[in-house]
Amino acid sequence: MAKYTLYWSPLTSSFAPHVVLAEIGVDYELKLVDFERQEHKSESFLKLNPNGLVPVMLLENGSPMYESAAMVMYLADSYPEVGLSPSLSDPERYLYNQWLFYMSIEIYPAVDYCFKPEFISTDPSPSSQAGIRQRAGEKMIKCWKILDQALQDKLWLVGDRFTVCDIYMLMMTLWHIPKQFHIPNLPLVLYDDFFKQFKNVSRNVAATAEHPTVKKIMKLYPPEGLVDMYKSATNN
């Protein structure tokens, strides 16, 4: 019997906990959530996550857990022998906590607001939505500059070690689609050439993407699904 169950979708932040589950080598089960059938809004799913959001991870005792950053931290700390997080007493633990929370609190919402401005505004006018997208894009640029500067003299976010922070950062770059998929009204910051200006971040995510487990899981998260979602979101 699987120790964990991950409710996932290629269009969500299930990527990071998905990679960590595979990396620690524990038995886990995958349950794909079908957005077209609105499974994330079903009564059974809302019992797991009342927010109606993916991912959700069932723990060994059956308790549901949501928030991808919390999941990767929980898993990494539960399997210290794998080395994906510094211990609580490690002098670099503060960096680990800092960057994981920084990305999930500062950048993640900005991505949401960039292609779904209605999350924070009831004004449906094009000018209002364009303004929100612009500010969200400016926020993303500011945050990525800070991360890029932090990586100026090193490869990994936490000291000289590969951690779940690097996996989480790669995930966030995967939400920037290839430029070949041109979508009218999509903010330019959501194309992957956005990262050409952040050479240190690009160096980090390139190294992370070469990790065997990451390579394997990335195949389950192709950009085409995001393209369709962004087209739908920016069609108004």
Side-chain angles (χ1 to χ4, degrees), residues 73-92:
M73 178 175 281
Y74 174 85
L75 290 168
D77 286 344
S78 296
Y79 298 87
E81 68 278 7
V82 181
L84 289 177
S85 66
S87 67
L88 293 176
S89 60
D90 191 298
E92 292 180 325

Side-chain angles (χ1 to χ4, degrees), residues 35-213:
F35 280 79
E36 290 188 2
R37 296 175 58 186
Q38 299 287 296
E39 289 181 350
H40 60 300
K41 295 182 179 180
S42 67
E43 182 179 354
S44 59
F45 187 85
L46 290 175
K47 288 181 180 178
L48 302 176
N49 184 352
N51 300 293
L53 299 174
V54 177
V56 173
M57 184 172 70
L58 297 186
L59 306 183
E60 189 174 14
N61 63 3
S63 298
M65 181 180 193
Y66 43 90
E67 297 302 328
S68 57
M71 291 179 199
V72 297
M73 178 175 281
Y74 174 85
L75 290 168
D77 286 344
S78 296
Y79 298 87
E81 68 278 7
V82 181
L84 289 177
S85 66
S87 67
L88 293 176
S89 60
D90 191 298
E92 292 180 325
R93 178 72 185 205
Y94 82 97
L95 276 176
Y96 173 80
N97 290 356
Q98 170 185 290
W99 292 129
L100 194 54
F101 286 118
Y102 183 75
M103 289 184 286
S104 62
I105 293 172
E106 299 292 339
I107 301 180
Y108 197 140
V111 176
D112 281 343
Y113 304 153
C114 211
F115 76 92
K116 279 286 189 180
E118 63 269 24
F119 283 177
I120 55 172
S121 175
T122 57
D123 185 350
S125 68
S127 59
S128 173
Q129 298 212 353
I132 292 171
R133 287 187 171 115
Q134 180 180 344
R135 292 302 297 270
E138 291 170 355
K139 172 74 170 180
M140 290 164 62
I141 291 171
K142 177 182 177 181
C143 292
W144 284 113
K145 279 183 178 178
I146 290 172
L147 281 163
D148 197 65
Q149 185 175 10
L151 290 164
Q152 185 171 359
D153 299 314
K154 58 181 183 176
L155 179 59
W156 307 117
L157 279 170
V158 182
D160 59 357
R161 72 187 91 183
F162 172 70
T163 69
V164 297
C165 289
D166 304 298
I167 296 170
Y168 202 88
M169 185 162 71
L170 170 64
M171 175 184 73
M172 305 196 85
T173 67
L174 296 179
W175 297 337
H176 295 250
I177 64 174
K179 190 76 174 190
Q180 68 196 58
F181 299 105
H182 176 69
I183 302 175
N185 300 323
L186 186 72
L188 293 178
V189 295
L190 286 179
Y191 290 105
D192 59 2
D193 63 349
F194 168 75
F195 288 98
K196 288 181 179 179
Q197 61 188 300
F198 305 118
K199 298 189 182 303
N200 299 322
V201 168
S202 297
R203 181 166 44 86
N204 170 285
V205 299
T208 300
E210 285 300 310
H211 197 281
T213 303

